[in-house]
Amino acid sequence: MPTSLPSTAGLLITAVAVAEAATTVPAAAAATAEAPAHAQVQKALDQAVADGGVPGMVAKVRDRRGRWFGSAGVADTRTGRKRQPNERFRVGSAAKPFTATVVLQLAAEGKLSLDDSVEKWLPGLVKGNGNDGGTITIRHLLNHTSGIFNYGNDPEEFAKFSGPAWLEHRYDTYTPEQLVKIGLRNPRPFETPGDGFVYTNTGYILAGMIVEKVTGRTLAGEIQRRIVRPLGLTGTYLPGRETKIRGPHPRHYSTLFAAETDAKVYDVTDQSATTGWAAGGVVSTAGDLNRFAGALLRGKLLPPAQQREMFTMVKTGIKMPDGTWKDTWIPDTTYGAGVFSWELSCGVKVWGIGGAITGGFSFAMGTRDATRMLSTNMNIDKYGQVNSVDMVKSVFEGEFCPSGSQPRNK
């Protein structure tokens, strides 16, 4: 489990997307022409497959020189089919910036305010275990400072979606209200909203519910109308109750949270998308993620005020009672509204989006001005000694850390 853009802006973004597509270097030619420039990325992909037990991993780079695609391993371990540039895959929490963008557009249109309480839009829903929807704002939901428990970490639900039990529950369906109630039946990690950062899918389910309450339309439809069509994203959508991925896609694999190095790997490609929805249900491609993340970084989807809101960053942790700091998410990150920064071991900082789901890790990050972007996907999730986050980080360091640079002392 774990109201549209102004027409001229929408047309401009679409025109840019079409122009970019028309000038994209074919994947094979790009790989031949630019492989030396991205040799460290390819090395990281190869190492993830050879040493990390990853079935297949891809990376797409977009910079001033053009486009480059690299891959290692396979899309399907049964047939040996290779991974391809335009495959669709489940992106996990990289869905959150889609939801956040829609919310921020609604704020720009005066349909809501980030200072609105959850209670204003969803009266009576958020209560119990110290939660009070009247004190939690939409801003708290978007930057994970609400203090609402993450429903995916609920002991009862986690038992269903880890280990072989996952196979029995892979097609279970949930309503957003059910997911919220699962989160609320657990104690808060900190008392006062805004006093800490604890990553919570529950907050983004609430944000998606608010979008639907404000617009009277589905979140899937709003993402399509406000983001997918204006940017010309060809492989991105938010499924409903579909359990299969539309179009060409790799198989998705998982050890189902087993930490052993030799843990059994399961094919988890087909699964319910309702367990993620606004927090993690989106399907996309490496190219679409690069384009979307780049548009966010360049301010193509939001007016200046909402762009500042999206990139108002908080530290990803909480201050403990003894005064010490505890990281509660990926170390060396800060988080905004669906977007985050990540300081690599060489001291270089990249910006963008990313997430995990049962069956894969997907990230799209780049320079703050989006002049260089890299997206990557591995078709497995691993949480043992060989960790998916570390392998993803190696790919970004291969692209963004100067050749021969040494890890920064901390």
Side-chain angles (χ1 to χ4, degrees):
M1 169 181 269
T3 312
S4 63
L5 286 167
S7 58
T8 53
L11 290 171
L12 174 62
I13 295 169
T14 303
V16 171
V18 171
E20 286 185 352
T23 58
T24 297
V25 179
T32 301
E34 295 193 20
H38 305 289
Q40 292 303 309
V41 176
Q42 185 63 56
K43 180 180 178 181
L45 298 177
D46 293 338
Q47 190 168 3
V49 172
D51 302 332
V54 173
M57 193 169 186
V58 298
K60 267 195 173 183
V61 177
R62 190 202 71 212
D63 58 22
R64 289 190 173 101
R65 293 171 298 177
R67 309 291 187 270
W68 176 87
F69 173 78
S71 69
V74 298
D76 187 329
T77 58
R78 184 179 61 85
T79 66
R81 173 170 55 91
K82 299 297 183 183
R83 299 212 54 177
Q84 300 297 321
N86 296 318
E87 296 170 322
R88 297 174 177 180
F89 43 81
R90 302 184 190 278
V91 304
S93 287
K96 289 181 173 68
F98 287 90
T99 300
T101 298
V102 174
V103 171
L104 289 165
Q105 287 184 0
L106 291 171
E109 294 160 9
K111 304 282 180 64
L112 57 79
S113 167
L114 297 193
D115 293 316
D116 288 346
S117 69
V118 175
E119 180 69 15
K120 175 178 177 177
W121 294 105
L122 304 171
L125 180 60
V126 177
K127 59 185 178 181
N129 272 320
N131 293 290
D132 178 358
T135 65
I136 297 169
T137 68
I138 295 175
R139 183 180 290 104
H140 290 142
L141 302 180
L142 298 184
N143 66 11
H144 297 291
T145 61
S146 70
I148 299 174
F149 190 89
N150 182 5
Y151 64 81
N153 292 337
D154 175 85
E156 182 179 333
E157 293 301 310
F158 187 78
K160 291 181 184 178
F161 291 95
S162 59
W166 186 92
L167 303 173
E168 301 175 26
H169 294 280
R170 65 191 301 167
Y171 300 125
D172 290 0
T173 60
Y174 291 80
T175 65
E177 290 83 359
Q178 286 175 313
L179 296 174
V180 170
K181 289 178 180 178
I182 291 168
L184 293 174
R185 71 190 183 197
N186 292 271
R188 295 171 55 81
F190 54 87
E191 183 176 351
T192 305
D195 275 3
F197 173 102
V198 172
Y199 199 86
T200 173
N201 291 329
T202 315
Y204 269 80
I205 299 298
L206 288 165
M209 293 174 70
I210 290 171
V211 166
E212 295 196 336
K213 185 71 174 287
V214 171
T215 64
R217 293 183 283 263
T218 66
L219 176 63
E222 291 299 284
I223 288 173
Q224 186 75 20
R225 190 164 66 92
R226 293 169 174 273
I227 301 171
V228 171
R229 285 203 295 265
L231 290 182
L233 308 183
T234 58
T236 299
Y237 65 98
L238 177 61
R241 291 178 175 258
E242 300 168 66
T243 59
K244 297 185 180 297
I245 300 173
R246 306 173 198 166
H249 58 274
R251 305 305 296 178
H252 291 44
Y253 300 96
S254 178
T255 58
L256 300 177
F257 293 97
E260 299 82 8
T261 303
D262 59 348
K264 185 175 180 179
V265 175
Y266 299 86
D267 186 321
V268 297
T269 310
D270 298 344
Q271 58 180 278
S272 172
T274 64
T275 56
W277 191 52
V282 166
V283 170
S284 191
T285 71
D288 279 5
L289 289 182
N290 259 348
R291 182 170 292 169
F292 174 54
L296 294 180
L297 289 167
R298 295 193 305 271
K300 297 294 185 180
L301 289 169
L302 297 171
Q306 285 67 42
Q307 182 74 0
R308 287 192 295 272
E309 285 279 5
M310 175 165 272
F311 286 90
T312 297
M313 315 302 282
V314 298
K315 294 178 66 176
T316 54
I318 55 177
K319 192 174 183 179
M320 303 301 288
D322 62 2
T324 60
W325 180 261
K326 178 183 178 182
D327 288 321
T328 57
W329 199 51
I330 302 171
D332 304 314
T333 57
T334 63
Y335 200 96
V339 297
F340 66 100
S341 72
W342 196 359
E343 187 173 342
L344 305 176
S345 61
C346 59
V348 171
K349 187 177 289 187
V350 291
W351 302 75
I353 65 178
I357 195 169
T358 303
F361 273 65
S362 305
F363 285 71
M365 308 195 77
T367 56
R368 183 61 184 84
D369 62 1
T371 55
R372 194 191 330 178
M373 299 295 302
L374 182 152
S375 59
T376 187
N377 166 265
M378 61 170 62
N379 58 345
I380 194 169
D381 58 275
K382 296 177 77 71
Y383 298 96
Q385 290 181 332
V386 180
N387 192 290
S388 294
V389 173
D390 294 333
M391 289 184 279
V392 167
K393 189 176 184 181
S394 293
V395 172
F396 283 102
E397 290 180 340
E399 177 65 21
F400 293 96
C401 288
S403 180
S405 63
Q406 297 299 313
R408 182 174 60 85
N409 292 326
K410 294 195 173 183

